[in-house]
Amino acid sequence: MSSPSSSPARRREVGEGGELPVPVPVPASVVGDDKVLAAAQHIVKSLATSKNAADDMIRILSGFDHRLSSITSDLFPSPSPAAASDADPAEPPGEQEPSSSTSSSSLADFDAAEQLIHLWDTTPEALVFEAPEDDAAHYLAAVDVAVDHLSAPAVSARAGVAVQLAMSRLEDELRHLMLRHSVPLDASGLYCSLRRLSLGSMDDLDTSSEFDPATPHSQDGGAGAGPDTARSASIAGNNPFEDQVFDLVRPDAIDEIRAIADRMLHAGYDSELAQVYCAIRRDLLDECLTVLGVERLSIDEVQRIEWKHLNDKMKKWVHGVKTVVRCLLTGERRLCDQVLAVSDELRDECFVESTKCCIMQIRNFGDAVSVCTRSPEKLSRILDMYEALAEVIPELKELFFGSYGGDVIHDLEGVLERLGDAVKGTLLEFGKVLQQESSRRPMMAGEIHPMTRYVMNYLRLLVVYCDTLDILLDDSGAGAVDHNILHNGTDEDQEYLKSLTPFGRRLVKLISYLEVNLDEKSKLYEDGALQCIFSMNNTLYIVQKVKDSELGRILGDHWIRRRRGKIRQNSKSYLRVSWTKVLSYLKDDGHGSSGSGSFGSSGNSSSRIKEKIKNFNLAFEELYRSQTVWKVPDPQLREELKISISENVIPAYRAFTGRYGSLVDSGRNSGKYIKYTPEDLENHLSDLFEGSLGSANHSRRR
């Protein structure tokens, strides 16, 4: 049988043959039961510090072998002073240097300690810290004695074997305690909280019936998204575990775990300690991430996920990051500080190592999202991820420090930068979509284009990220003033642009892309008047979305005044294009004398007046048929257009029919030419722009 090493080597093997040396010499006459009894007597005599302690030890030993219950504490004298210590058994002794001539009392202490360690090793299925209360203290005391004798020449080899056996058991004991006393996340409560907190934010932008940049021909079927104040509650806080002290291991087990860690460190088994500790904590943190819904996904897997499912995973990542940092990692740091307090270096190393996979999982998903295909619907989710990570990095710096933690922070700051680049790239892509969208089918009735609804609801919901976007766009140089944003802009316009924030200037640019695109789409209408209606509808919708939201605060009154001026200009253009020809038939060309209604002796003059009234009727009825189908959704704009038409048409019609009506529409020809009274025209005009088919015979005079 080979002799074990005299140094505290970090190995489990006892000897090449697997046999243990006989730890305590006994007389040759003592065999069988007497040998077991003698060994037990020696352990109790050496370690017992009082009669009560002796009784406890006899009870412990009898648990291994019922024959030992026959031992009585009265057989044993008081233990030697060396065995009785006032120190807390949970605390390892300080380093001792036994003299070259180790006292017989010290050797007796070691013999007893060695016997206890070997005795526990005969029952590997039993656990010291599951035994009665004093068992752990006695075992730890025995470990302390064995470690202290590693450098004693007379027993160094035996001490090395005893320490190896003890360390192997303590590893198992540590693993058992950490697993048994770990505190699991409340999965059901957490899932409910996550679901509740996910209701809101830009992720609820309803584009199912809106314009989709990926499908330019989609039609509008709804009013759009909800108010711009909607946003995920998680971004503002309300995390279910936020700012709470969360114990990852039950507090009543900390002392026992720390006592084991202290012995392993004192014996030089810091590597084994770190391996066991980190493996257990790493697996438990991985389980916590699973509960939070933060999955381990590769970049390729993320790229292949459908948007609906990816959106859900991104939401869970946002909630998960905050929970991980403010609950799990904070608790993990506190646990390391408690258990590994005797070694600052090992404490920091174990914290980084045990959280490495957790951090890597968070980092990898962030990196995967940052390189996904740029598409507008992902922007708010990426911004949520960016803001969540930016918010917790300062807190992470308080947890990860020194040489071990610096790399972790550096990696996460890299993820943050790449998410920021993804935000800027997505905004650029969104601008290109607006410029390149080229659907050629005009909207029926000149209504608001789905693209207008989509873009304005989209921009409204971006406002909640304005502070973050100001930082990102300014850092990228996108905040520089672009003098081409406003076409034909005046000096006042350029000063206005300089007064805006970087995000404000980007908003102006994106809306200008939309306006240019809408101008091109208006040309799809052959009727110039309908072009004006289309432009008014869409411009007013844009103005209203800006004015009734935080966009108004960012863009300011100058921008709104410019668009209202454009609406007035389109209104005048509509009246000119649509009604100039109708009104031309009501002009007085001097065909008759004023007052008498006589038009002279020329029959040609009477015919020309009849022709004018006939042409007016035809032109008005044609406008009525077409413009009752046209749609002006805004009631105020619709009413203003009707009033403008009435103010131009009704007075001219009343004057013309009052002057010439009796001359061309009297006697048996009554109603043949003058079909409408001024009141009839007024009623007909009230039907315009309602988006429903009207009747040319509505309120017609019989």
Side-chain angles (χ1 to χ4, degrees), residues 375-672:
S375 55
E377 71 273 8
K378 296 176 184 174
L379 181 57
S380 72
R381 227 3 108 221
I382 300 174
L383 279 164
D384 286 343
M385 292 177 64
Y386 179 92
E387 289 189 344
L389 190 55
E391 189 175 330
V392 300
I393 281 181
E395 301 170 32
L396 286 168
K397 289 180 179 178
E398 297 178 3
L399 300 175
F400 293 90
F401 44 80
S403 58
Y404 292 105
D407 291 340
V408 173
I409 299 301
H410 182 267
D411 288 345
L412 290 176
E413 287 177 336
V415 175
L416 183 68
E417 182 178 355
R418 288 186 285 277
L419 286 173
D421 291 340
V423 169
K424 291 178 282 188
T426 303
L427 275 174
L428 288 174
E429 187 64 28
F430 184 56
K432 292 179 182 178
V433 170
L434 294 182
Q435 291 176 293
Q436 297 171 1
E437 198 285 322
S438 57
S439 59
R440 303 298 298 172
R441 185 170 62 181
M443 288 297 298
M444 292 293 294
E447 288 192 75
I448 301 165
H449 198 280
M451 179 178 67
T452 307
R453 294 184 185 276
Y454 180 91
V455 171
M456 294 312 300
N457 285 322
Y458 190 87
L459 297 181
R460 272 184 53 171
L461 292 168
L462 280 182
V463 170
V464 295
Y465 305 98
C466 62
D467 293 338
T468 297
L469 288 169
D470 278 334
I471 295 172
L472 289 174
L473 296 177
D474 190 48
D475 288 345
S476 69
V481 178
D482 184 350
H483 296 285
N484 295 320
I485 293 177
L486 298 178
H487 301 286
N488 302 319
T490 63
D491 291 341
E492 182 183 2
D493 291 330
Q494 302 308 325
E495 289 300 319
Y496 160 72
L497 287 177
K498 292 179 181 179
S499 70
L500 295 177
T501 64
F503 177 53
R505 286 190 284 271
R506 179 56 61 91
L507 285 174
V508 171
K509 176 178 285 189
L510 291 174
I511 295 176
S512 72
Y513 291 158
L514 172 62
E515 291 173 324
V516 170
N517 197 309
L518 290 172
D519 286 343
E520 290 300 314
K521 293 187 186 307
S522 70
K523 298 174 183 177
L524 298 174
Y525 298 99
E526 295 181 359
D527 191 326
L530 188 53
Q531 292 181 13
C532 296
I533 294 296
F534 176 79
S535 295
M536 280 189 286
N537 281 335
N538 284 272
T539 302
L540 180 60
Y541 183 86
I542 293 172
V543 169
Q544 288 174 333
K545 284 293 182 179
V546 170
K547 187 173 179 294
D548 297 338
S549 69
E550 280 294 297
L551 288 172
R553 177 185 62 79
I554 296 174
L555 296 179
D557 293 337
H558 175 87
W559 188 93
I560 294 175
R561 286 197 303 270
R562 287 290 186 185
R563 271 65 193 173
R564 290 201 179 278
K566 183 178 179 180
I567 294 172
R568 288 192 295 270
Q569 182 180 351
N570 278 315
S571 177
K572 293 177 181 177
S573 297
Y574 160 77
L575 289 172
R576 183 182 67 256
V577 172
S578 190
W579 293 94
T580 296
K581 183 177 180 181
V582 176
L583 291 173
S584 68
Y585 298 124
L586 301 179
K587 288 184 178 180
D588 186 354
D589 295 331
H591 298 296
S593 59
S594 60
S596 65
S598 172
F599 49 85
S601 59
S602 174
N604 290 335
S605 296
S606 176
S607 298
R608 291 179 64 184
I609 291 176
K610 292 178 181 178
E611 187 69 20
K612 278 180 172 289
I613 295 177
K614 178 182 177 181
N615 288 337
F616 171 84
N617 290 337
L618 291 174
F620 178 80
E621 289 167 3
E622 178 60 29
L623 286 179
Y624 180 79
R625 279 193 297 270
S626 62
Q627 297 193 15
T628 50
V629 180
W630 295 358
K631 184 70 175 290
V632 176
D634 183 74
Q636 183 176 345
L637 177 60
R638 186 169 62 243
E639 192 61 28
E640 288 175 355
L641 286 172
K642 291 176 182 179
I643 291 173
S644 297
I645 297 169
S646 296
E647 289 176 347
N648 283 272
V649 174
I650 301 302
Y653 184 78
R654 180 177 284 111
F656 189 86
T657 55
R659 185 169 187 179
Y660 301 113
S662 60
L663 300 178
V664 298
D665 200 18
S666 59
R668 61 181 181 177
N669 293 325
S670 177
K672 181 177 180 180

Side-chain angles (χ1 to χ4, degrees), residues 77-94:
S78 299
S80 64
S85 173
D86 295 333
D88 185 347
E91 296 295 332

Side-chain angles (χ1 to χ4, degrees), residues 45 99 150 158 241 243 266 312-313 337 381 431 476-477 508 535 550 610 696:
K45 289 173 66 177
S99 62
L150 286 170
R158 291 164 53 196
F241 296 112
D243 301 326
H266 185 57
D312 182 62
K313 295 181 186 300
D337 292 344
R381 227 3 108 221
S476 69
V508 171
S535 295
E550 280 294 297
K610 292 178 181 178

Side-chain angles (χ1 to χ4, degrees), residues 77-384:
S78 299
S80 64
S85 173
D86 295 333
D88 185 347
E91 296 295 332
E95 293 291 342
Q96 297 181 13
E97 293 291 339
S99 62
S100 58
S101 56
T102 307
S103 66
S104 59
S105 174
S106 177
L107 288 176
D109 293 344
F110 171 73
D111 288 343
E114 182 186 42
Q115 287 289 349
L116 184 59
I117 291 172
H118 279 282
L119 196 57
W120 273 101
D121 193 59
T122 61
T123 56
E125 70 281 356
L127 293 170
V128 173
F129 287 88
E130 292 295 317
E133 184 177 354
D134 291 337
D135 293 10
H138 293 312
Y139 189 83
L140 292 176
V143 173
D144 293 338
V145 172
V147 172
D148 288 342
H149 283 77
L150 286 170
S151 57
V155 294
S156 61
R158 291 164 53 196
V161 172
V163 168
Q164 289 180 38
L165 293 174
M167 293 302 110
S168 178
R169 169 167 287 278
L170 288 181
E171 283 187 33
D172 294 337
E173 297 279 347
L174 177 64
R175 185 178 294 106
H176 173 75
L177 286 173
M178 293 185 69
L179 290 173
R180 178 182 176 185
H181 295 285
S182 64
V183 179
L185 285 177
D186 179 5
S188 59
L190 181 60
Y191 282 138
C192 291
S193 298
L194 288 176
R195 184 178 183 278
R196 183 181 68 254
L197 295 177
S198 67
L199 298 177
S201 121
M202 193 173 173
D203 59 290
D204 293 315
L205 175 63
D206 180 13
T207 59
S208 59
S209 59
E210 296 267 341
F211 166 80
D212 182 354
T215 55
H217 297 286
S218 61
Q219 291 298 309
D220 179 27
D228 56 10
T229 55
R231 192 178 183 189
S232 174
S234 66
I235 302 303
N238 298 330
N239 190 297
F241 296 112
E242 197 168 274
D243 301 326
Q244 295 185 16
V245 177
F246 188 77
D247 292 311
L248 302 178
V249 173
R250 293 183 180 89
D252 56 0
I254 294 296
D255 288 342
E256 293 178 340
I257 295 173
R258 182 172 59 244
I260 294 175
D262 289 348
R263 267 66 185 188
M264 294 184 72
L265 284 169
H266 185 57
Y269 280 70
D270 49 331
S271 177
E272 286 81 358
L273 170 62
Q275 184 177 357
V276 174
Y277 180 93
C278 294
I280 294 171
R281 294 310 311 163
R282 185 165 52 241
D283 290 345
L284 291 174
L285 285 176
D286 188 60
E287 291 178 11
C288 291
L289 286 180
T290 300
V291 172
L292 292 169
V294 180
E295 302 177 42
R296 183 181 287 109
L297 298 169
S298 67
I299 291 179
D300 289 339
E301 288 174 323
V302 172
Q303 297 280 356
R304 292 194 297 267
I305 296 175
E306 293 182 2
W307 165 240
K308 178 181 178 181
H309 300 297
L310 179 60
N311 182 41
D312 182 62
K313 295 181 186 300
M314 293 168 77
K315 285 192 290 184
K316 288 181 178 178
W317 187 94
V318 170
H319 296 297
V321 163
K322 291 191 173 185
T323 300
V324 165
V325 174
R326 294 174 177 169
C327 166
L328 301 183
L329 295 187
T330 300
E332 198 65 45
R333 183 83 231 190
R334 185 168 60 253
L335 180 62
C336 277
D337 292 344
Q338 292 172 331
V339 172
L340 306 172
V342 297
S343 173
D344 291 344
E345 182 178 3
L346 186 64
R347 178 181 59 197
D348 294 341
E349 179 185 353
C350 284
F351 175 69
V352 172
E353 189 64 29
S354 60
T355 59
K356 179 189 297 183
C357 290
C358 177
I359 294 294
M360 187 179 299
Q361 203 163 324
I362 290 173
R363 185 193 68 193
N364 288 349
F365 186 79
D367 273 335
V369 169
S370 70
V371 297
C372 280
T373 304
R374 307 283 190 250
S375 55
E377 71 273 8
K378 296 176 184 174
L379 181 57
S380 72
R381 227 3 108 221
I382 300 174
L383 279 164
D384 286 343

